[in-house]
Amino acid sequence: MSPNTPPRPTAIVAVLAFAGIVVSLMQTLVIPIVPELPQLLHASSSDTAWAVTATLLAGAVATPVTGRLGDMYGKRRMLLLSATVLVAGSLTAALSDSLTPMIVGRALQGLAAGVIPLGISIMRDELPAERLDSATALMSASLGVGGALGLPAAAVIAENYDWHVLFWTSAVLGAVAAVLVLVCVPESKVRTGGRFDAVGALGMAAGLVCLLLAISKGADWGWGSGTTVGLFAAAVVVLPAWGFFELRVAEPLVDLRTTARRQVLVTNLASIAIGFAMFAMSLVLPQLLQLPTATGYGLGKSLLTAGLVMAPSGLVMMAVAPVSAAVSKARGPKTTLMTGALIVAAGYLLNIVLMDQVWHFVLVSCVIGAGIGFTYGSMPALIMGAVPASETGAANSLNTLMRSIGTSTASAVAGVILANMTKALGPVTLPSRDGFRTVLAIGAGAALLAFAVASFIPRRRPATGQTPPAADGPAGHAEVSEAKA
């Protein structure tokens, strides 16, 4: 974009939302081929599981780091770097026929996970105030939209083409996103400068890897195994030590004093519960749809059909983004978050009763998708209302990380429940109906927990005009001093 060309808000929003959807597609990209990966890569199933785990770990580490680097050196620059890394990872996986390059490629794809919080922060810097709420709600919802739409698309490709086409497609999409960002998105002038906290980044990476690795692999290794317990113990030691260091360094990777503000802290805690609640749907619904009808509760559908059933939830998330923004403007984002949490809980409770027909699952996924759209749309507004503009990249990235921790925990908890509540179908042991209902009930409980936690967020009066902007933020963007409430 020429420096003399004024930003085009509609183009900026469309491009950033597209980039967010492309990155979130990486969540579901390999799901259709996971059962075949051992044969395709000539490795054991426990080893090929790293094709999923590597993306999770890389994304968890990269998200707060790219957010901080974006605040320091330019958010658009880091967004372009993330897209480039995504393309490199996709090409590496597309050219692989063995385990090691596949894991490397998937890890590189995971390093692009910071695109969504970076995009939200760019919107705050570049968009007029009247467009900001709806734009950030759409950008935040793209995390769920990409995951929901990606599953049927990936299933179609996997069923009709060579599996490498999955990664060639993601490489093309990543390249298109990078070109569009380069052409349509301006570089923000809001920067902090300073020195990068490399020690803090290493400490945070070590702590997060220990925590998430123990959560995601504990079921395979055994929850009481020395490896799992040792990783949990290491996380308990490393993360507090990292926090102690961050409080004493002049230019920390994460400003924990800002993070400890009531509005930011409570929003992040609610985000963990919402992340848990969101992922429970992704774990339960596809399995119920695909289990054989002989179980008495499975519908015997294909993976493609299951993906198509889930796809409308992504469209609903996108559709409710402007509604979420309107509620936030009228009643405050706290109300939007609490409303969304109740909708999610209602969707899970509905699914406990309705799980016998395909249309039941379409209805449930749409209800839960609407709730997720409300909650995800409100979180950036809550975070940005409590931090200075110069820290939005790091703050939004940390919030995204909290949701990721919630989804990882949901996967582990649901895995334990479904592995222990089973029924025999001939020689095969499958999760029981009561097991699925238990997971659904826990998903509803997580959403209600998010509702309860969100009630402690300081109340903000509905916006009737713009409050003065932060000293380091662009003119016209409201700063709300809720942290002092």
Side-chain angles (χ1 to χ4, degrees):
M1 173 174 289
S2 168
N4 297 321
T5 303
R8 293 162 290 177
T10 301
I12 292 173
V13 172
V15 169
L16 292 177
F18 173 74
I21 291 172
V22 169
V23 169
S24 62
L25 287 172
M26 300 308 109
Q27 298 177 32
T28 51
L29 185 68
V30 298
I31 288 179
I33 61 171
V34 164
E36 287 78 39
L37 280 178
Q39 179 182 354
L40 296 173
L41 301 177
H42 315 291
S44 67
S45 58
S46 61
D47 287 339
T48 56
W50 285 97
V52 177
T53 306
T55 309
L56 166 70
L57 297 179
V61 172
T63 299
V65 171
T66 55
R68 175 61 179 155
L69 289 172
D71 286 337
M72 292 174 64
Y73 303 118
K75 303 175 185 72
R76 174 177 177 265
R77 180 177 298 175
M78 291 309 303
L79 199 154
L80 285 169
L81 178 61
S82 297
T84 301
V85 171
L86 171 63
V87 173
S90 300
L91 292 175
T92 301
L95 295 170
S96 68
D97 285 303
S98 59
L99 182 63
T100 299
M102 170 63 83
I103 292 175
V104 171
R106 290 289 290 161
L108 288 172
Q109 287 183 322
L111 291 177
V115 162
I116 292 175
L118 284 170
I120 292 170
S121 301
I122 290 172
M123 288 175 175
R124 185 192 197 185
D125 295 343
E126 301 300 329
L127 297 182
E130 65 272 12
R131 294 289 302 272
L132 184 59
D133 286 347
S134 59
T136 55
L138 177 62
M139 186 69 191
S140 186
S142 69
L143 180 63
V145 172
L149 299 182
L151 182 57
V156 169
I157 293 173
E159 288 183 4
N160 294 281
Y161 303 96
D162 179 79
W163 65 274
H164 293 89
V165 176
L166 288 168
F167 298 100
W168 288 115
T169 302
S170 66
V172 171
L173 291 173
V176 171
V179 171
L180 290 175
V181 168
L182 192 63
V183 172
C184 299
V185 179
E187 181 59 271
S188 170
K189 296 181 176 63
V190 182
R191 301 185 189 181
T192 61
R195 295 178 58 186
F196 180 69
D197 179 18
V199 175
L202 291 173
M204 184 203 63
L208 285 177
V209 167
C210 289
L211 176 63
L212 293 175
L213 197 54
I215 291 174
S216 61
K217 302 292 285 186
D220 295 334
W221 294 336
W223 293 106
S225 70
T227 303
T228 303
V229 173
L231 285 169
F232 275 126
V236 170
V237 172
V238 172
L239 289 174
W242 168 78
F244 183 83
F245 174 82
E246 290 293 278
L247 288 172
R248 281 153 182 78
V249 68
E251 297 176 300
L253 176 73
V254 177
D255 187 341
L256 294 180
R257 291 181 177 84
T258 298
T259 304
R261 292 175 182 174
R262 182 176 164 190
Q263 179 161 318
V264 179
L265 177 62
V266 176
T267 301
N268 283 334
L269 292 175
S271 297
I272 297 175
I274 287 296
F276 187 108
M278 173 188 172
F279 203 62
M281 173 181 71
S282 302
L283 290 168
V284 171
L285 270 63
Q287 289 194 63
L288 284 171
L289 285 161
Q290 293 179 82
L291 283 174
T293 56
T295 60
Y297 50 88
L299 299 187
K301 304 301 180 181
S302 67
L303 177 62
L304 175 58
T305 300
L308 291 173
V309 169
M310 299 288 289
S313 67
L315 300 176
V316 171
M317 289 181 204
M318 187 178 298
V320 301
V323 181
S324 168
V327 174
S328 293
K329 184 176 182 180
R331 306 291 298 175
K334 172 182 176 178
T335 299
T336 308
L337 176 55
M338 296 176 71
T339 301
L342 289 179
I343 295 173
V344 171
Y348 280 118
L349 294 175
L350 190 66
N351 199 191
I352 293 175
V353 179
L354 299 178
M355 54 176 8
D356 300 322
Q357 303 290 333
V358 170
W359 72 265
H360 292 170
F361 292 95
V362 175
L363 173 63
V364 166
S365 68
C366 287
V367 172
I368 296 175
I372 295 296
F374 267 74
T375 58
Y376 276 24
S378 64
M379 290 172 190
L382 287 164
I383 294 296
M384 293 189 297
V387 303
S390 58
E391 297 180 18
T392 51
N396 281 318
S397 296
L398 184 63
N399 182 253
T400 300
L401 175 62
M402 293 301 104
R403 287 182 254 175
S404 297
I405 291 175
T407 60
S408 301
T409 305
S411 178
V413 170
V416 170
I417 292 171
L418 296 179
N420 287 277
M421 299 182 69
T422 60
K423 68 170 291 181
L425 184 65
V428 180
T429 300
L430 299 171
S432 67
R433 183 196 294 264
D434 288 341
F436 286 115
R437 283 179 168 159
T438 301
V439 175
L440 292 171
I442 292 175
L448 292 175
L449 177 61
F451 173 86
V453 171
S455 68
F456 291 95
I457 296 173
R459 173 69 62 179
R460 185 189 70 165
R461 290 187 301 273
T464 56
Q466 296 302 323
T467 56
D472 55 354
H477 288 175
E479 288 293 339
V480 183
S481 301
E482 298 178 39
K484 297 180 181 179

